[in-house]
Amino acid sequence: MITKVGQIMLYVNNQDEAVNFWTEKLGFDVISEENNGQGMRWIEIAPTKGAETSIILHNKEIVAKMSPGLNLGTPSLMFFVENLDELHSDFSNKKIKVGEIVNMPSGRVFNFADDEDNYFAVMEKK
């Protein structure tokens, strides 16, 4: 029986720029970095070192060559935060592309984009 989501694969065009975005702008930690010596490199990141779920940054071009039928689209990720207004302001100050805060039946939400225009969402959970 599945008990949790362990890792989410995020396929990016530039892994180094993606690592910088997630760590420098969003404050994520690099958990590990692996390289098989044959061009396959992956970087594991997470909001904190003890997080149950992490994101693996893969090189989109290399993965496409290795697995031509794989869906390389951006997953729809929803992150949770306790202070949405503060995070929205922080992201805006860091020149991250952010949407307006909107009220949804499940809570207040805004979306943001990484440097490759992949969009993600943040919801306030108190």
Side-chain angles (χ1 to χ4, degrees):
M1 177 177 198
I2 296 173
T3 59
K4 65 181 175 180
V5 175
Q7 296 177 328
I8 297 164
M9 306 303 155
L10 181 59
Y11 304 105
V12 297
N13 296 315
N14 186 316
Q15 287 174 294
D16 293 325
E17 286 180 9
V19 168
N20 285 338
F21 175 83
W22 287 95
T23 59
E24 300 300 320
K25 291 186 176 180
L26 272 58
F28 277 48
D29 293 322
V30 172
I31 306 302
S32 67
E33 182 171 343
E34 302 291 331
N35 188 329
N36 72 358
Q38 299 170 4
M40 186 68 173
R41 174 180 166 224
W42 55 98
I43 303 109
E44 181 179 10
I45 59 171
T48 62
K49 292 207 187 300
E52 288 191 22
T53 304
S54 61
I55 296 172
I56 308 297
L57 301 171
H58 284 284
N59 182 303
K60 188 182 284 190
E61 182 181 345
I62 291 173
V63 172
K65 287 178 185 172
M66 291 177 55
S67 302
L70 189 64
N71 179 348
L72 301 175
T74 304
S76 294
L77 300 179
M78 174 74 76
F79 298 98
F80 293 155
V81 65
E82 291 184 9
N83 190 328
L84 194 73
D85 297 298
E86 184 179 309
L87 186 68
H88 189 271
S89 178
D90 181 54
F91 281 13
S92 296
N93 291 337
K94 291 177 179 175
K95 306 291 187 234
I96 296 172
K97 191 184 303 183
V98 295
E100 295 297 319
I101 294 175
V102 295
N103 290 309
M104 303 291 283
S106 53
R108 296 179 341 130
V109 178
F110 74 87
N111 64 12
F112 68 93
D114 67 9
D115 295 334
E116 295 183 11
D117 281 334
N118 296 310
Y119 279 84
F120 308 97
V122 179
M123 176 180 284
E124 188 169 50
K125 288 280 190 183
K126 295 185 179 192

